[in-house]
Amino acid sequence: MRITNGHNLRIALQNDGRLTGRSLELLRGIGLEFEEHERRLFARCRNADVELLFIRDDDIPEYVQDGVADMGIVGRNVVIEKRARVDELEPLGFGFCTLVLAVPRESAATAPRDLAGRRIATTHPVALRAYLDREGLDARIVEIRGAAEVAPALDVADAICDLVSTGTTLRMNDLRRVGDLFESQAVLVASGAAMEDEERAALIERLRVRLRGLLTARRMKYVTLNAPRSALPRIQEILPGMKSPTVVPLAEEGMVALHAAVEEEVFWDVMERIKDAGGSEILVLPVEKVMR
Ligand code: ATP
Ligand code: MG
């Protein structure tokens, strides 16, 4: 099906970095078809009036704010750092990281307040400034461009403020985490101007609904199972917080088949309890798409 209302929608994505692969995969997941971008600035969608713009992630918040792009996929940390006025539409469930304070392993500091009067190297000066002001902490920000994790070894700083996901980089550089500023993940953002334009807003809304459906589907499993009718009340109690499952009588007297969607986080727990309650022939299927 063609997503079109004769209006071009431009979506800004990270050109080449941690978010690029998952961003493209999400857009394909909601039915947009396009060629690999291969170092080009633009890619047109074959089946939609949508154009992808590939740029450095630092530029995405401002480009969306200024209406150069109508939507963007970028780390929330970058939106914060650029103080961009954009509408955050959806968290996207990837690109998870935390902005942290860290010190060399041999440092005496164990908490953020121990950094008073010290130098903190960072590529996130805006977020760090806001944090220091909020905490009433008087430290000097050393703004750098490249890798913050080497700054203490070079005696450019006493501590760093940097993004971490697993903490491997910190460990590899003999650094120890002493405080967290905030958590971040990739988010879908839209420009205020596009949201005020009726036609573009309608297209944005369609893409957003598809994205939500895809993200919800990824958190769900579709389960079918057989059970004695007498076990139904118990099984329905176990199936957590969802609308009533579909129940179909089976040819075998007193037996029913149940169909239900179960959230991934509770999936194993729910399956085990259903089995204990008398469920059998449990079949689990991935959920492809959900429209609500
Ligand atoms: P660009 O060349 O586009 O400016 P970059 O080097 O600034 O790229 P990446 O390192 O690709 O950016 O990270 C992009 C985003 O990925 C970050 O802004 C952040 O939201 C997220 N992210 C997830 N995990 C990490 C991590 N461990 N370190 C840094 N960023 C991470
Ligand atoms: Mg960047």
Side-chain angles (χ1 to χ4, degrees), residues 10 12 51 53 55 62-71 191:
R10 190 181 278 166
E51 174 176 74
L53 170 65
I55 51 181
E62 278 152 309
Y63 276 25
V64 172
Q65 170 187 287
D66 298 343
V68 175
D70 303 298
M71 298 171 96
S191 98

Side-chain angles (χ1 to χ4, degrees), residues 14 56-58:
Q14 189 183 23
R56 287 200 54 185
D57 71 342
D58 309 64

Side-chain angles (χ1 to χ4, degrees), residues 5 19 30 33 36 58 60 68 82 102 121 140 163 194 219 240:
N5 57 5
L19 304 184
I30 61 168
E33 291 171 15
E36 282 303 332
D58 309 64
I60 294 176
V68 175
K82 298 295 172 185
R140 204 173 105 221
L163 291 173
R219 281 190 289 105

Side-chain angles (χ1 to χ4, degrees), residues 61-107:
E62 278 152 309
Y63 276 25
V64 172
Q65 170 187 287
D66 298 343
V68 175
D70 303 298
M71 298 171 96
I73 295 180
V74 68
R76 187 183 281 140
N77 56 290
V78 188
V79 177
I80 292 171
E81 191 58 34
K82 298 295 172 185
R83 278 188 260 187
R85 287 181 304 278
V86 295
D87 293 351
E88 183 181 318
L89 300 184
E90 295 293 326
L92 297 175
F94 68 94
F96 288 104
C97 55
T98 309
L99 190 62
V100 306
L101 289 167
V103 296
R105 209 166 38 202
E106 66 279 8
S107 163

Side-chain angles (χ1 to χ4, degrees), residues 4 10 87 99 122 173 180 195 207 214 255 263 266-267:
T4 175
R10 190 181 278 166
D87 293 351
L99 190 62
T122 191
N173 288 281
D180 293 0
M195 296 301 276
L207 295 178
L214 183 67
M255 289 294 284
E263 300 238 349
V266 293
F267 176 74

